[in-house]
Amino acid sequence: MSRTYKIALGVFFLLLAGLVWLEANEPEPINWSESYSANDKIPLATYLFYENWKNQDPSIRKIEVPPYEYLEKQPDSGTYFFLNNVVNFDKSEMEQLLSWVANGNQLMISSHGFGQALEDTLGIRTAASYLAENFEFKSKPQVNLVNPSLALPEDAVFDHEVSSFYFTKFDTLKHTVLGNLDPGKGRKRVNFLKVPFGKGQVFLHSTPEAFSNFFMLKGENKIYVENLLSYFRGKNILWDAYYKSGKSFYTSPLYILLNNRSLKWAYYFILISAILFILFEGKRKQRAIPVKLPLQNRSYEYTQTIGELFIEDKSFYQLGINKIKLFMEYLRSHLKLDISSVNASDRVKVLAARSGNSQEDTKELVELINSFQQEKRNDKEAFLKLSRSINAFKNNYGKSNQR
């Protein structure tokens, strides 16, 4: 790794560490997601509302299953309280709920939307309201109740830009207006209705933000919520914990890790370091390939060594016999001739014809071989004479092949 490369890598790591430090020390952004869960403490959750209501009315119960599942059993009588950004029942579930209401119970829904089935059944419609200023849509809803004994002297304000929903259609003869919404400039809109149904009542509220943590902590806004809840005093409260945008429990094992700023950035730093390690150090490194020389033919050295041993031991007869054996193998491999299979009278003629030697030289060689084998003498001169004759015979054969 060159020096320039190391410097560039070091600068990169310093910049990365600086960015991580700056990000880790930046103020945590406010989470404005709509949760409406009684367990969350973000602005648009309902932890404060639920805990205060529970302290005033300990009989409140959390229903953590779908309404149809709860109502199929023997449900308690009282008020079924739904609070979320959108509550949308299917037709069978809605009919089951309304049947329960018709038996003398109450249904309270605070939501931006109520689902097509319920709106068609009750004859209502909702829409969003915005205030346009300088080509910008703004909406900081102000809410209040209609009943003089419950109305606030001044409207309660949700001091943040949110969607303002109101009722555009309802039956003025059968439906009772309980509250209104002012998106700005004194334009009153209905946001709270009471709809009779059988022996019971359905309450519809289109501003669920009024029950949020953010709204409850602003000035005297909590009085608006307390006065609104007076419509349900003395009733058994069934708090819906199923239809919620925010989770009531966390299924991800990384929730605790990512919910803590320090742990989250430590986790990110480990991931980034691992990726960098793979990029710079995990690449394939070629191991040096050792040079392997090809095997050398040591036959000559071996033969020379064996020959020297025989000479040192003066075993000239054994050397001659080995020389004769090698000559016979030479005839079989080069001349394709097994001399032992040829008649003694024809050996000289066949061998001379095959090798290209004269019959006189061939006869002399054959007689020399036979004589050496029979006399069995350790005579150096006899061995040398035999060796020269065999070599001469081979040389003459090689020259005849070249021609």
Side-chain angles (χ1 to χ4, degrees):
M1 185 182 293
S2 65
R3 186 169 178 270
T4 304
Y5 184 79
K6 290 180 179 178
I7 293 173
L9 190 61
V11 171
F12 173 76
F13 275 111
L14 285 175
L15 290 174
L16 180 63
L19 289 174
V20 171
W21 183 83
L22 290 173
E23 183 66 26
N25 287 277
E26 186 179 349
E28 185 75 29
I30 298 175
N31 182 4
W32 286 101
S33 60
E34 294 178 300
S35 168
Y36 299 106
S37 169
N39 299 320
D40 287 345
K41 297 181 181 180
I42 60 176
L44 292 181
T46 57
Y47 175 81
L48 286 176
F49 169 63
Y50 178 80
E51 292 298 324
N52 281 294
W53 197 6
K54 187 177 180 181
N55 290 335
Q56 296 177 12
D57 187 0
S59 65
I60 187 172
R61 286 181 53 203
K62 271 187 180 181
I63 309 299
E64 298 181 344
V65 296
Y68 73 85
E69 186 176 332
Y70 173 73
L71 296 176
E72 275 185 349
K73 302 174 183 178
Q74 293 182 348
D76 297 331
S77 59
T79 301
Y80 212 143
F81 200 99
F82 291 85
L83 174 60
N84 199 36
N85 58 333
V86 175
V87 177
N88 188 6
F89 306 116
D90 59 34
K91 187 175 180 182
S92 59
E93 189 173 55
M94 179 207 67
E95 291 174 350
Q96 197 172 18
L97 265 172
L98 293 181
S99 176
W100 177 77
V101 171
N103 291 329
N105 297 295
Q106 292 181 334
L107 174 64
M108 166 63 179
I109 305 176
S110 182
S111 171
H112 293 153
F114 304 93
Q116 189 70 38
L118 185 62
E119 290 184 0
D120 290 343
T121 302
L122 300 182
I124 60 169
R125 288 289 183 273
T126 60
S129 176
Y130 296 94
L131 178 64
E133 289 184 358
N134 299 324
F135 302 101
E136 293 183 358
F137 290 101
K138 298 182 177 180
S139 178
K140 293 184 178 180
Q142 304 175 32
V143 292
N144 211 333
L145 299 173
V146 173
N147 189 331
S149 61
L150 300 177
L152 278 67
E154 294 183 359
D155 293 348
V157 181
F158 189 89
D159 194 18
H160 187 75
E161 301 292 338
V162 293
S163 301
S164 300
F165 285 81
Y166 66 98
F167 293 99
T168 58
K169 175 187 175 182
F170 57 91
D171 192 335
T172 56
L173 297 178
K174 296 181 180 180
H175 300 171
T176 304
V177 176
L178 301 180
N180 53 49
L181 166 77
D182 184 359
K185 294 187 177 181
R187 296 183 296 177
K188 297 293 182 180
R189 302 283 190 268
V190 176
N191 78 322
F192 191 20
L193 286 176
K194 180 175 72 173
V195 180
F197 197 89
K199 297 179 181 179
Q201 298 168 327
V202 178
F203 293 86
L204 302 175
H205 187 264
S206 64
T207 315
E209 294 88 355
F211 301 96
S212 66
N213 297 328
F214 182 81
F215 184 85
M216 293 279 289
L217 291 173
K218 288 289 182 178
E220 300 299 321
N221 289 352
K222 61 181 180 180
I223 299 176
Y224 169 82
V225 178
E226 291 176 356
N227 292 346
L228 187 149
L229 293 180
S230 63
Y231 289 101
F232 313 112
R233 287 199 179 100
K235 296 285 186 178
N236 186 35
I237 304 299
L238 306 175
W239 172 272
D240 170 65
Y242 181 79
Y243 280 110
K244 289 289 184 287
S245 296
K247 293 182 179 180
S248 57
F249 61 94
Y250 300 94
T251 57
S252 173
L254 291 176
Y255 169 73
I256 300 298
L257 185 66
L258 299 179
N259 198 46
N260 182 286
R261 177 187 288 274
S262 301
L263 293 177
K264 178 178 69 175
W265 280 105
Y267 175 69
Y268 288 159
F269 186 77
I270 290 173
L271 288 180
I272 294 171
S273 301
I275 293 172
L276 290 174
F277 175 81
I278 293 172
L279 291 176
F280 293 102
E281 291 296 329
K283 60 184 179 180
R284 181 176 180 266
K285 293 183 177 179
Q286 178 64 51
R287 186 175 59 182
I289 301 175
V291 178
K292 290 188 176 182
L293 298 175
L295 296 176
Q296 296 182 0
N297 187 354
R298 299 287 184 179
S299 301
Y300 177 76
E301 289 84 351
Y302 174 77
T303 305
Q304 186 179 15
T305 302
I306 297 300
E308 289 174 354
L309 289 174
F310 279 105
I311 292 172
E312 184 178 352
D313 197 34
K314 296 182 179 181
S315 301
F316 296 109
Y317 174 74
Q318 190 63 40
L319 276 174
I321 295 300
N322 290 334
K323 184 75 173 178
I324 293 169
K325 289 181 179 179
L326 290 173
F327 178 64
M328 296 302 171
E329 179 61 31
Y330 175 83
L331 296 179
R332 282 192 292 269
S333 60
H334 288 77
L335 277 68
K336 311 301 180 187
L337 176 62
D338 185 1
I339 201 169
S340 63
S341 63
V342 181
N343 294 330
S345 59
D346 297 332
R347 284 179 185 175
V348 174
K349 186 187 296 185
V350 173
L351 184 56
R354 290 283 186 95
S355 65
N357 286 274
S358 65
Q359 290 191 14
E360 291 78 7
D361 293 338
T362 304
K363 181 179 179 182
E364 182 181 352
L365 176 61
V366 171
E367 290 176 351
L368 187 60
I369 291 173
N370 292 334
S371 174
F372 189 88
Q373 288 176 331
Q374 292 172 2
E375 292 181 4
K376 299 182 180 180
R377 292 182 301 168
N378 269 339
D379 189 350
K380 181 178 179 181
E381 294 300 327
F383 166 72
L384 292 176
K385 185 178 180 181
L386 172 66
S387 180
R388 292 190 193 101
S389 298
I390 292 175
N391 292 337
F393 184 88
K394 290 181 180 179
N395 290 334
N396 289 334
Y397 170 69
K399 290 178 182 179
S400 65
N401 279 346
Q402 289 179 359
R403 290 195 297 269

